[in-house]
Amino acid sequence: MFEWNWNSIKAECVAFLGPAGYGYVQTSPPNAHIVGKQWWTAYQPTSYDLVSNRGTREEFIDMVNTCKTAGVQVIADAVVNHMSGASAGTSTLGTNFTHYDYPGTYSANDFHYCGLTPDNNIADYTNRDQVQKCQLVGLADLATDTDYVQGRLADYLKDLLSTGVTGLRIDAAKHIASSDITNILSRVGPVPYITQEVIYGDNEPIQPSEYVANGAVQEFRYTNTLKWAFTEGGIDTLQDFGNRGWLDSKSANVFVANHDTERDSSLNYKSAMNTYYLATIFSLAHPYGANPTVLSSYFFEARDDGAPNNWQGACQGISGDKGWLCQHRWPGISGLVGFRNTVGDSEITNWQTGTHQQIAFGRGNLGFVAINNESAQWSAEFTTSLPDGSYCNVNGGAPRDGCMGSPITISGGKFTANITPRTALAVHVGAMAPAGL
Ligand code: LAG
Ligand code: CA
């Protein structure tokens, strides 16, 4: 829930996330940061007090407790590679800092001065030392290889866990040696879910696989490949991710877009022909990536545009309100959350294709999906491993909202359908059509 404030996440856990079956909600960074309206101010920490554009410590704790009661665990975005990029300024806490001095938290000897580039900034991503010990876009790089910094970061993460958080996103993990993260986490104790941001780059020495010992790792090759497949390559190339040299499915955290890629590189809500929606449905239906993430964000024009409505997230019905997109409520996305919870880790069965942009597959005898990423109708008979019966098309958001649209009747494992252009269809045994429909 990119940039949603704590009060609005709290309300959304009860109103929608919990009932829809989402297991976790990921928040923007909760700690103090430089002042400003741009979204990326959250990625310039000034201390570990939980006072940010998105709310206070009390509001954060209240949100965590309410979400957990609603069945939704909380993942906090932990910015631990660096502090600010400003030469001096004021924090959201009202205190002052300079680039290498954060009174009460860090002072000059807690930072890397890599000495490998003229301005100490990263210039060459093929150089491991530069990537990990120089400054990312001018952000003061913490000496994460020192005892004090490791201890301070561990204290911060322990404090987050004490609020009831059970998941962490380690921001900019590629810029921290994996062994430093291991050391920090060893001081924290068990964390139920960790996902690490390690952006794969061709010809770069730092590999996402180096980080799997610490927890899940974000698989950006998946993000890039989905864009390619849905816009040019063909989605019939997406049956198998097991032999590409990527992260193992159980370690891979996958997504169609995150808050960075929606601005820079991936599919996003502006993508033509419904490809973003269909790719998200695909990511929830396909078993690769033990934990898929759905981005919920807001309309933007310029890259820096900050959150609308003073960070107060809002959805009206299924659609966004006041600039919020509320992707998590789009019927085909929330409906597929139920699908994924029902099918679990069942294997792909009954893979079928039409054109290169038309695929259908089952998940054992529990669910079946068909995706028509083509500008023409797909009329076909589909073969499934599902029990005979009348199913809701959960692409309409069922069963939470009842069975929207016509049910799909499976007989002898088969059904026929006319799938309209650029839409999908999904059924599972947890969403049977009510009798008489
Ligand atoms: C991340 N992963 O490694 C975050 O996902 C990403 O959103 C963060 O960058 C980055 N690492 C640092 O945590 C974002 C923006 C940057 C922004 C930075 C710090 O993408 O654009 O940089 O947060 O706020 C901004 C300016 C830069 C400037 C820098 C320092 O855009 O031009 O050099 O601040 O003043
Ligand atoms: Ca670093």
Side-chain angles (χ1 to χ4, degrees):
M1 301 294 282
F2 176 53
E3 287 289 86
W4 280 55
N5 69 16
W6 311 151
N7 287 336
S8 56
I9 293 178
K10 170 186 169 180
E12 194 64 1
C13 276
V14 176
F16 198 88
L17 297 172
Y22 286 96
Y24 280 92
V25 59
Q26 182 179 310
T27 75
S28 282
N31 60 300
H33 55 84
I34 64 167
V35 294
K37 293 230 166 198
Q38 301 93 330
W39 63 269
W40 44 253
T41 60
Y43 292 94
Q44 299 196 33
T46 53
S47 77
Y48 302 120
D49 300 281
L50 302 186
V51 180
S52 69
N53 282 345
R54 290 153 296 284
T56 64
R57 180 182 184 90
E58 289 66 35
E59 289 165 341
F60 187 78
I61 292 172
D62 187 29
M63 176 272 290
V64 173
N65 287 333
T66 301
C67 287
K68 289 173 85 164
T69 301
V72 186
Q73 303 291 312
V74 177
I75 298 171
D77 195 350
V79 184
V80 292
N81 172 64
H82 53 260
M83 299 297 278
S84 84
S87 55
T90 308
S91 78
T92 49
L93 199 60
T95 54
N96 296 323
F97 64 87
T98 64
H99 199 193
Y100 301 114
D101 190 34
Y102 301 84
T105 308
Y106 297 119
S107 57
N109 54 3
D110 298 321
F111 294 93
H112 284 143
Y113 307 96
C114 70
L116 299 169
T117 57
D119 53 5
N120 282 327
N121 289 343
I122 301 167
D124 178 6
Y125 272 80
T126 68
N127 181 317
R128 176 182 292 267
D129 278 349
Q130 276 195 36
V131 174
Q132 296 187 330
K133 294 184 174 171
C134 295
Q135 300 183 145
L136 172 64
V137 295
L139 301 162
D141 201 60
L142 285 165
T144 49
D145 40 2
T146 65
D147 181 60
Y148 175 75
V149 172
Q150 291 171 345
R152 190 66 195 81
L153 289 172
D155 285 348
Y156 170 44
L157 301 182
K158 278 192 277 189
D159 185 50
L160 281 178
L161 296 182
S162 80
T163 67
V165 159
T166 54
L168 299 171
R169 169 187 183 266
I170 309 291
D171 177 68
K174 184 166 81 176
H175 301 280
I176 307 171
S178 177
S179 55
D180 292 350
I181 295 177
T182 306
N183 179 300
I184 294 161
L185 293 175
S186 75
R187 303 176 188 228
V188 174
V191 182
Y193 182 69
I194 287 174
T195 182
Q196 300 163 94
E197 191 211 24
V198 183
I199 302 175
Y200 175 84
D202 285 329
N203 306 315
E204 291 186 20
I206 302 165
Q207 293 295 310
S209 56
E210 294 172 29
Y211 290 79
V212 298
N214 301 323
V217 182
Q218 300 187 333
E219 182 50 273
F220 285 82
R221 286 168 287 197
Y222 179 91
T223 305
N224 299 335
T225 297
L226 256 55
K227 178 182 184 179
W228 171 83
F230 276 87
T231 57
E232 48 177 314
I235 62 175
D236 63 343
T237 61
L238 300 178
Q239 182 173 2
D240 188 14
F241 295 93
N243 50 14
R244 301 178 187 230
W246 296 1
L247 292 160
D248 284 347
S249 181
K250 64 177 177 354
S251 295
N253 173 210
V254 300
F255 39 79
V256 173
N258 74 7
H259 68 282
D260 291 317
T261 70
E262 74 168 347
R263 287 172 167 69
D264 300 335
S265 58
S266 65
L267 294 171
N268 69 10
Y269 74 91
K270 303 180 189 187
S271 299
M273 315 272 227
N274 219 25
T275 47
Y276 173 65
Y277 201 173
L278 293 177
T280 306
I281 289 171
F282 172 85
S283 75
L284 292 167
H286 193 285
Y288 178 76
N291 294 287
T293 301
V294 174
L295 173 69
S296 192
S297 59
Y298 56 82
F299 290 90
F300 63 90
E301 283 165 16
R303 183 179 186 275
D304 292 353
D305 285 354
N309 201 30
N310 289 316
W311 300 278
Q312 181 69 30
C315 301
Q316 202 159 52
I318 57 167
S319 62
D321 188 17
K322 297 175 174 145
W324 300 97
L325 288 162
C326 294
Q327 293 96 318
H328 64 282
R329 285 200 185 209
W330 294 4
I333 294 177
S334 64
L336 266 287
V337 169
F339 177 102
R340 192 173 188 92
N341 287 338
T342 297
V343 303
D345 58 8
S346 308
E347 296 291 323
I348 289 182
T349 49
N350 303 102
W351 177 271
Q352 289 149 76
T353 59
T355 69
H356 291 303
Q357 291 290 6
Q358 295 171 328
I359 59 172
F361 57 93
R363 298 292 304 279
N365 56 8
L366 297 172
F368 192 87
V369 64
I371 300 174
N372 181 14
N373 183 40
E374 193 73 80
S375 299
Q377 183 165 285
W378 188 14
S379 301
E381 182 185 61
F382 296 96
T383 300
T384 80
S385 299
L386 292 174
D388 287 354
S390 185
Y391 292 78
C392 289
N393 178 0
V394 297
N395 181 44
R400 196 170 176 270
D401 304 315
C403 213
M404 292 158 77
S406 308
I408 290 166
T409 301
I410 297 183
S411 171
K414 297 180 191 296
F415 71 97
T416 56
N418 303 315
I419 306 175
T420 50
R422 307 284 178 176
T423 65
L425 163 166
V427 296
H428 64 85
V429 298
M432 304 304 292
L437 204 75

Coordinates of all heavy atoms in Angstrom, one line a residue, residues 34 39-44 77 79 82 84-86 136-139 169 171-173 175 197 199 258-260 264 303-304, ligand 1:
I34 N 13.6 12.8 5.7 CA 13.7 14.2 5.3 C 12.2 14.7 5.0 O 11.4 14.0 4.6 CB 14.6 14.5 4.1 CG1 14.0 13.8 2.8 CG2 16.0 14.0 4.4 CD1 14.7 14.3 1.5
W39 N 7.4 11.4 -3.0 CA 7.3 10.1 -2.4 C 8.7 9.6 -1.9 O 8.8 8.8 -0.9 CB 6.7 9.1 -3.4 CG 7.6 8.9 -4.6 CD1 7.5 9.6 -5.8 CD2 8.6 7.9 -4.8 NE1 8.5 9.1 -6.6 CE2 9.2 8.1 -6.1 CE3 9.2 6.9 -4.0 CZ2 10.2 7.4 -6.6 CZ3 10.3 6.2 -4.5 CH2 10.8 6.4 -5.7
W40 N 9.8 10.0 -2.6 CA 11.1 9.4 -2.3 C 11.7 10.0 -1.0 O 12.8 9.5 -0.6 CB 12.0 9.4 -3.4 CG 12.1 10.7 -4.3 CD1 11.6 10.9 -5.5 CD2 12.7 11.9 -3.9 NE1 11.8 12.1 -6.0 CE2 12.5 12.8 -5.0 CE3 13.4 12.4 -2.8 CZ2 13.1 14.1 -5.0 CZ3 13.9 13.6 -2.8 CH2 13.7 14.5 -3.8
T41 N 11.0 11.0 -0.4 CA 11.6 11.4 0.9 C 11.6 10.3 1.9 O 12.5 10.3 2.8 CB 10.8 12.6 1.5 OG1 9.4 12.2 1.6 CG2 10.8 13.8 0.5
A42 N 10.7 9.3 1.7 CA 10.6 8.2 2.7 C 11.9 7.3 2.6 O 12.2 6.6 3.5 CB 9.4 7.4 2.3
Y43 N 12.6 7.5 1.5 CA 13.9 6.7 1.3 C 15.1 7.4 1.7 O 16.2 7.0 1.4 CB 13.9 6.1 -0.1 CG 12.8 5.1 -0.3 CD1 11.6 5.5 -0.9 CD2 13.0 3.8 0.1 CE1 10.6 4.6 -1.0 CE2 11.9 2.9 0.0 CZ 10.7 3.3 -0.5 OH 9.7 2.4 -0.6
Q44 N 14.9 8.5 2.5 CA 16.1 9.2 3.1 C 15.9 9.3 4.6 O 15.4 10.3 5.1 CB 16.2 10.6 2.4 CG 16.4 10.5 0.9 CD 16.9 11.8 0.3 OE1 17.7 12.6 0.9 NE2 16.5 12.1 -0.9
D77 N 8.7 -1.6 5.2 CA 9.8 -1.4 4.3 C 11.0 -0.8 5.2 O 10.8 0.3 5.8 CB 9.4 -0.4 3.3 CG 10.3 -0.3 2.1 OD1 11.4 -0.8 2.1 OD2 10.0 0.4 1.1
V79 N 14.6 0.7 5.4 CA 15.7 1.4 4.7 C 16.9 1.4 5.6 O 17.0 2.2 6.5 CB 15.2 2.9 4.3 CG1 16.3 3.5 3.4 CG2 13.9 2.8 3.6
H82 N 21.4 3.3 4.0 CA 21.8 4.7 3.9 C 21.0 5.6 4.7 O 19.9 5.2 5.2 CB 21.8 5.1 2.4 CG 20.5 4.9 1.8 ND1 20.2 3.8 1.0 CD2 19.3 5.6 1.9 CE1 18.9 3.9 0.6 NE2 18.4 4.9 1.1
S84 N 20.3 10.2 4.6 CA 19.8 11.1 3.6 C 20.9 11.4 2.5 O 22.1 11.1 2.7 CB 19.4 12.4 4.3 OG 20.5 13.3 4.5
G85 N 20.4 12.1 1.5 CA 21.3 12.6 0.5 C 21.5 14.1 0.6 O 22.2 14.7 -0.2
A86 N 20.9 14.7 1.6 CA 20.9 16.2 1.7 C 22.1 16.6 2.5 O 22.6 15.9 3.4 CB 19.6 16.7 2.5
L136 N 24.7 5.4 -3.1 CA 23.6 5.3 -4.1 C 23.0 6.7 -4.2 O 22.5 7.2 -3.2 CB 22.6 4.2 -3.5 CG 21.3 4.1 -4.3 CD1 21.5 3.5 -5.7 CD2 20.4 3.1 -3.5
V137 N 23.0 7.2 -5.4 CA 22.5 8.5 -5.7 C 22.8 9.6 -4.6 O 21.9 10.4 -4.3 CB 21.0 8.5 -6.1 CG1 20.8 7.8 -7.4 CG2 20.1 8.0 -5.0
G138 N 24.0 9.5 -4.1 CA 24.3 10.6 -3.1 C 23.9 10.3 -1.7 O 24.1 11.2 -0.8
L139 N 23.3 9.2 -1.4 CA 22.7 8.9 -0.1 C 23.9 8.4 0.8 O 24.6 7.4 0.5 CB 21.6 7.8 -0.2 CG 20.5 8.2 -1.1 CD1 19.6 7.0 -1.5 CD2 19.6 9.2 -0.4
R169 N 10.7 -5.7 4.4 CA 11.3 -5.5 3.0 C 12.7 -4.8 3.3 O 12.7 -3.7 3.8 CB 10.5 -4.7 2.1 CG 11.2 -4.3 0.8 CD 10.4 -3.3 0.0 NE 11.0 -3.0 -1.3 CZ 11.8 -1.9 -1.5 NH1 12.1 -1.1 -0.5 NH2 12.3 -1.6 -2.7
D171 N 15.2 -2.7 1.9 CA 15.4 -1.8 0.8 C 16.9 -1.8 0.4 O 17.8 -1.9 1.2 CB 15.0 -0.4 1.2 CG 15.2 0.7 0.2 OD1 14.5 0.6 -0.9 OD2 16.1 1.5 0.3
A172 N 17.1 -1.7 -0.9 CA 18.5 -1.6 -1.4 C 19.5 -2.7 -0.9 O 20.6 -2.4 -0.7 CB 19.1 -0.2 -1.1
A173 N 18.9 -3.9 -0.8 CA 19.8 -5.0 -0.2 C 21.0 -5.2 -1.1 O 22.0 -5.6 -0.5 CB 18.9 -6.2 -0.1
H175 N 22.9 -3.2 -2.2 CA 24.0 -2.3 -1.8 C 24.6 -2.6 -0.5 O 25.3 -1.8 0.1 CB 23.4 -0.9 -1.9 CG 22.9 -0.5 -3.3 ND1 23.8 -0.2 -4.3 CD2 21.7 -0.6 -3.9 CE1 23.1 0.0 -5.4 NE2 21.8 -0.3 -5.2
E197 N 15.4 -6.5 -1.7 CA 15.5 -5.9 -3.0 C 16.8 -6.0 -3.6 O 17.8 -5.3 -3.2 CB 15.0 -4.4 -2.9 CG 14.8 -3.8 -4.2 CD 15.1 -2.4 -4.3 OE1 15.9 -1.9 -3.5 OE2 14.6 -1.7 -5.2
I199 N 18.1 -6.0 -7.3 CA 17.7 -5.8 -8.7 C 18.8 -6.4 -9.6 O 19.9 -6.0 -9.6 CB 17.6 -4.3 -9.0 CG1 16.6 -3.6 -8.1 CG2 17.2 -4.1 -10.5 CD1 16.4 -2.1 -8.3
N258 N 6.6 -2.5 -9.1 CA 6.6 -2.0 -7.7 C 6.7 -0.4 -7.9 O 6.5 0.1 -9.0 CB 7.8 -2.5 -6.9 CG 9.2 -2.0 -7.3 OD1 9.3 -1.1 -8.1 ND2 10.2 -2.6 -6.7
H259 N 6.9 0.3 -6.8 CA 6.8 1.7 -6.8 C 7.9 2.4 -7.6 O 7.7 3.5 -8.1 CB 6.8 2.3 -5.4 CG 8.1 2.1 -4.7 ND1 8.5 0.9 -4.1 CD2 9.2 2.9 -4.5 CE1 9.7 1.0 -3.6 NE2 10.2 2.3 -3.8
D260 N 9.0 1.7 -7.8 CA 10.1 2.2 -8.7 C 9.8 1.8 -10.1 O 9.8 2.7 -11.0 CB 11.4 1.5 -8.3 CG 11.9 2.0 -7.0 OD1 11.8 3.2 -6.7 OD2 12.4 1.2 -6.2
D264 N 9.6 3.6 -13.9 CA 10.8 3.6 -14.7 C 10.8 2.6 -15.9 O 11.4 2.8 -16.9 CB 12.0 3.3 -13.9 CG 12.2 4.3 -12.8 OD1 11.8 5.5 -13.0 OD2 12.8 4.0 -11.7
R303 N 7.5 11.9 -12.3 CA 8.1 10.8 -11.5 C 8.1 11.1 -10.0 O 7.9 10.2 -9.1 CB 9.5 10.5 -11.9 CG 10.2 9.4 -11.2 CD 11.6 9.1 -11.7 NE 12.2 7.9 -11.1 CZ 12.8 7.9 -10.0 NH1 12.9 9.0 -9.2 NH2 13.3 6.8 -9.5
D304 N 8.3 12.3 -9.6 CA 8.4 12.7 -8.2 C 7.1 12.9 -7.5 O 7.1 13.0 -6.3 CB 9.2 14.0 -8.0 CG 10.7 13.9 -8.4 OD1 11.1 12.7 -8.7 OD2 11.4 14.9 -8.5
Ligands
LAG1 C1 15.4 1.7 -3.4 N1 15.8 0.5 -3.6 O1 17.1 0.1 -3.8 C2 14.1 2.2 -3.4 O2 13.2 1.1 -3.8 C3 14.0 3.4 -4.3 O3 12.7 3.9 -4.4 C4 15.0 4.4 -3.7 O4 15.2 5.5 -4.5 C5 16.4 3.9 -3.4 N2 16.5 2.5 -3.2 C6 17.0 4.5 -2.2 O5 16.3 4.0 -1.1 C7 14.3 6.6 -4.4 C8 14.1 7.4 -5.7 C9 15.3 8.3 -5.9 C10 15.6 9.2 -4.7 C11 15.9 8.2 -3.5 C12 16.2 9.0 -2.3 O6 14.0 6.5 -6.8 O7 15.0 9.1 -7.0 O8 16.7 10.0 -5.0 O9 14.7 7.4 -3.3 O10 15.1 9.8 -1.9 C13 16.4 11.4 -4.8 C14 16.6 12.2 -6.1 C15 18.1 12.0 -6.5 C16 19.1 12.5 -5.4 C17 18.7 11.8 -4.1 C18 19.6 12.2 -2.9 O11 15.8 11.6 -7.1 O12 18.3 12.8 -7.7 O13 20.4 12.3 -5.7 O14 17.3 11.9 -3.8 O15 19.3 13.6 -2.6

